[in-house]
Amino acid sequence: MAKPRNKEADIQRTRLQNLEELRLDPLGFVRWAFPWGEGPLAGHDGPEAWQASVLEEIGDQLEAKSGPVRIAVASGHGVGKSALVAWLLLWASATVPSTRGVVTANTETQLKTKTWVELGKWHGLVTTHDFNELGAASLASHLPVPEGAGRIDVVPWAAHNAEAFAGLHNKGSRILVVFDEASAIADAIWETAEGALTDADTEIIWIAFGNPTRTSGRFFECFNRFRARWHTQQVDSRTVSLTDKQQLARWVADYGEDSDFVRVRVRGQFPRAGSMQFIESELVEHAMKRPVDPATHRLHPLVMGVDVARFGDDRSVIVLRRGFDARTWAAEKHQGLDLMTLASRVAERAAAENVRAVFVDEGGIGAGVVDRLRQLGVPFVFGIHFGGKPETWDAEGAKPKYANKRAEMWGNMKAWLAQASLPEDPELRADLCGCEYGYDGSQAIQLEKKADMKKRGLSSPDIGDALALTFALPVSGAAWDLPRGKESYKTDYDLYAEFDEDYGWGDNDDDDS
């Protein structure tokens, strides 16, 4: 007598057979694995056309075995990027249980409140939900495989911690890398990921999604300089059933079809004028390649800028500059340094290098560093408030050119870059090129706030701010005790001429306030 069939075992075998057949078919997996037209998916019969196109392209490239799969998608708002990310993770993990992967986004908030929340929703709907476990920061496979169970991790990125992306290897199996809101992910992370994806005989899938907000950076280059390596797609929000067509129509009516606002947020196209990037990438690149001319710079005063960290992931940075040379002296970057230790380090460096002036970000906790430096007797310490009043007026002299002191310092630094020499520092490059600007109510130039940069996924521009601080005030010639008017010495600026009349500081070396 035949043994009764185990219905549950039959269902399990059928699911595993289906997964084997769908190993190279993510579109087929999405159509099979979710209850389209039922429950929460009532009214939806499958993925949107653009989503299906991306999934089909991945499958075609895997079938062709033509090397790593690289797909970049630029889109307007609300097209369903997060849903597609979730499907890809669930497909990759279920069809190849040994898959290893990384998902990152422009901010940790984006990862936790959008990307991972969306994954949780689809994980609850997928027919293979019991094949893996969704944790707070990973999707881990339950299926036993000889290669070892795989895992896909969610990893917030930071430009100064790019090495966290360097250890992704899975020879002979599958690697999945997903960049969400990729336009705001620093070049250093792209470059590290590129170097890590080198395993032979391995399915490597790298997908980048984002709104095309800026005409610089690696996401932009996927559609331009590196377009031969990437399959690219641009998605107009109006072609997707999920979007609010009335709101999109209002945007078009308000801003115009070919405005940068509509190009980026609706049409999924890069802006014509670029983002409101304050310092052009080309200006920075040229400065990093420009050699230092010691004869030109040696008689200028050496000045120091100190940006004081406020939050756990920010760093206190010390930068030195002499004339057009900011390359000779390595920037010091300190994380987790208390104020007294930082002040001691500033004092030591200032004395060792014979620094002529020290400019410290005095806002918030930075005031403690300024006070301590004065207690230590460091000469010519200046506390600078980023929100303070600027000195530069517009061409007509009618109103301030800049909204605050920080914008003015960055404006001076931008003008200086045309002749400057910078170190080849990717973090400095990201700081200088990442900061955007706008205008306040009086049409004065206003820089993007650090908090807003973090919301876009960029690190606080600590190095850029430290360098900008060296432009806070005019500084005199090669030494404080030089005779005034000695023509054999070049001057960066003339501190005495600028401040004697207004503040009475003059030759009083004891008053460093």
Side-chain angles (χ1 to χ4, degrees):
M1 181 176 179
K3 292 182 180 180
R5 294 181 63 85
N6 186 321
K7 187 175 181 180
E8 289 186 5
D10 287 346
I11 293 173
Q12 184 78 329
R13 275 193 295 271
T14 300
R15 286 199 297 167
L16 291 172
Q17 288 170 0
N18 287 340
L19 290 176
E20 179 61 29
E21 293 171 1
L22 296 169
R23 186 177 187 277
L24 304 180
D25 185 7
L27 177 56
F29 172 86
V30 171
R31 287 175 171 161
W32 165 75
F34 300 105
W36 297 105
E38 304 173 12
L41 298 181
H44 301 279
D45 58 4
E48 296 283 334
W50 81 267
Q51 295 168 328
S53 174
V54 171
L55 294 167
E56 189 172 26
E57 179 64 29
I58 294 171
D60 289 346
Q61 290 196 37
L62 290 175
E63 288 276 7
K65 297 181 179 180
S66 55
V69 177
R70 300 167 187 255
I71 297 179
V73 179
S75 69
H77 286 291
V79 301
K81 297 190 301 290
S82 296
L84 182 51
V85 169
W87 301 342
L88 286 170
L89 302 185
L90 294 169
W91 160 78
S93 179
T95 57
V96 179
S98 58
T99 294
R100 291 192 61 199
V102 168
V103 184
T104 193
N106 60 327
T107 64
E108 187 171 2
T109 300
Q110 169 75 20
L111 283 171
K112 289 183 176 180
T113 65
K114 294 184 180 180
T115 308
W116 222 243
V117 168
E118 188 75 6
L119 176 59
K121 181 181 84 174
W122 290 99
H123 182 259
L125 294 173
V126 70
T127 187
T128 59
H129 64 88
D130 55 327
F131 286 0
N132 44 46
E133 179 180 359
L134 180 62
S138 66
L139 179 69
S141 174
H142 282 326
L143 297 178
V145 288
E147 304 92 327
R151 192 176 75 180
I152 300 173
D153 294 306
V154 54
V155 181
W157 70 266
H160 58 270
N161 191 30
E163 62 271 15
F165 292 79
L168 188 61
H169 298 284
N170 201 16
K171 186 173 175 59
S173 186
R174 172 182 286 167
I175 294 173
L176 175 66
V177 176
V178 178
F179 283 6
D180 196 7
E181 299 300 342
S183 191
I185 295 177
D187 288 0
I189 304 300
W190 287 79
E191 291 161 5
T192 304
E194 184 92 42
L197 302 179
T198 56
D199 288 356
D201 303 318
T202 303
E203 290 179 4
I204 297 174
I205 305 165
W206 188 359
I207 315 294
F209 300 100
N211 298 119
T213 55
R214 51 178 51 85
T215 56
S216 62
R218 286 294 296 270
F219 186 62
F220 173 75
E221 289 173 345
C222 290
F223 295 78
N224 292 275
R225 182 159 62 120
F226 299 136
R227 60 186 177 274
R229 303 182 197 173
W230 290 78
H231 174 86
T232 60
Q233 188 170 335
Q234 291 173 280
V235 184
D236 190 315
S237 298
R238 293 169 294 189
T239 66
V240 179
S241 67
L242 307 170
T243 54
D244 182 343
K245 304 302 186 297
Q246 290 184 341
Q247 178 61 61
L248 298 178
R250 283 194 290 269
W251 283 349
V252 173
D254 290 345
Y255 294 97
E257 176 72 27
D258 204 39
S259 66
D260 280 346
F261 183 95
V262 171
R263 288 176 65 86
V264 172
R265 292 164 176 78
V266 179
R267 297 170 61 185
Q269 296 183 7
F270 290 92
R272 292 193 185 280
S275 65
M276 296 297 281
Q277 183 178 337
F278 187 63
I279 296 178
E280 299 86 354
S281 302
E282 186 177 17
L283 196 60
V284 175
E285 292 299 330
H286 286 170
M288 289 186 171
K289 292 180 172 60
R290 187 176 292 117
V292 175
D293 182 355
T296 302
H297 307 316
R298 67 185 179 86
L299 296 179
H300 286 277
L302 184 63
V303 292
M304 175 185 286
V306 182
D307 188 58
V308 183
R310 288 171 174 76
F311 307 104
D313 58 343
D314 294 346
R315 293 173 296 172
S316 294
V317 179
I318 303 170
V319 167
L320 297 176
R321 175 182 67 84
R322 187 192 298 279
F324 290 111
D325 179 14
R327 181 183 298 167
T328 300
W329 303 269
E332 291 189 27
K333 309 165 188 177
H334 300 285
Q335 192 157 16
L337 211 60
D338 65 80
L339 298 184
M340 295 302 99
T341 305
L342 175 62
S344 296
R345 180 55 196 151
V346 170
E348 292 169 4
R349 188 82 188 272
E353 302 285 358
N354 195 23
V355 168
R356 302 306 186 230
V358 180
F359 299 108
V360 183
D361 167 18
E362 194 175 23
I365 63 174
V369 176
V370 173
D371 291 343
R372 181 57 178 162
L373 289 173
R374 289 172 178 163
Q375 289 175 357
L376 293 172
V378 178
F380 290 92
V381 174
F382 299 92
I384 305 299
H385 285 277
F386 282 7
K389 183 179 178 181
E391 305 292 332
T392 309
W393 289 67
D394 64 10
E396 291 76 28
K399 60 184 180 181
K401 181 178 179 180
Y402 299 100
N404 53 37
K405 189 65 179 178
R406 180 172 181 247
E408 181 182 55
M409 293 188 301
W410 275 70
N412 292 338
M413 177 171 64
K414 179 179 180 180
W416 166 85
L417 280 169
Q419 301 179 68
S421 298
L422 291 176
E424 282 278 359
D425 184 340
E427 294 177 322
L428 176 59
R429 179 188 292 111
D431 282 7
L432 298 180
C433 297
C435 192
E436 298 183 350
Y437 76 101
Y439 298 91
D440 67 5
S442 63
Q443 295 302 299
I445 294 173
Q446 186 166 27
L447 287 187
E448 182 179 24
K449 296 179 181 178
K450 292 184 177 185
D452 291 335
M453 292 184 70
K454 287 190 170 186
K455 290 177 183 177
R456 292 198 290 118
L458 302 183
S459 297
S460 176
D462 307 320
I463 313 171
D465 277 331
L467 179 58
L469 278 161
T470 67
F471 297 89
L473 296 172
V475 179
S476 75
W480 294 109
D481 58 355
L482 288 176
R484 289 194 185 180
K486 188 171 181 179
E487 296 180 356
S488 60
Y489 284 91
K490 287 179 175 283
T491 59
D492 219 355
Y493 306 99
D494 185 352
L495 180 141
Y496 298 116
E498 187 77 13
F499 293 105
D500 283 7
E501 182 178 345
D502 293 336
Y503 300 101
W505 291 352
D507 292 327
N508 183 2
D509 287 0
D510 295 328
D511 186 358
D512 58 12
S513 61

